[in-house]
Amino acid sequence: QSDDLRAVAHHAHRIKGTARTVAAQALGAVCERIEQAAKSGKRSEALRFKPDLERESGRLATYLESLDL
């Protein structure tokens, strides 16, 4: 389980940085909460943010799809 939480913290950290780079601040904030919970060994707390992660990821995806690139 600790390896899983370590992986969650790692990926949340990476997504947080990328989100902030593209000004997706809400997604970055959710990832920060997940990262901190995972680093603290709080699996259930990290999982509690899954709906927020899905919502904010969806918002970013919708925005990116709307761009005329």
Side-chain angles (χ1 to χ4, degrees):
Q1 181 180 354
S2 66
D3 286 344
D4 289 344
L5 286 175
R6 217 178 341 256
V8 167
H10 171 77
H11 292 296
H13 179 80
R14 292 188 66 182
I15 296 168
K16 175 183 74 176
T18 301
R20 290 179 174 170
T21 298
V22 298
Q25 300 303 325
L27 178 57
V30 169
C31 289
E32 184 170 7
R33 290 184 198 109
I34 293 170
E35 179 186 7
Q36 292 307 313
K39 283 182 174 180
S40 298
K42 299 176 182 174
R43 184 180 188 278
S44 61
E45 185 176 332
L47 286 172
R48 188 177 60 160
F49 295 110
K50 184 179 177 190
D52 299 326
L53 176 65
E54 291 171 345
R55 181 189 66 243
E56 295 306 327
S57 296
R59 286 182 61 206
L60 178 59
T62 299
Y63 171 72
L64 292 173
E65 290 169 0
S66 75
L67 297 177
D68 188 24
L69 300 175

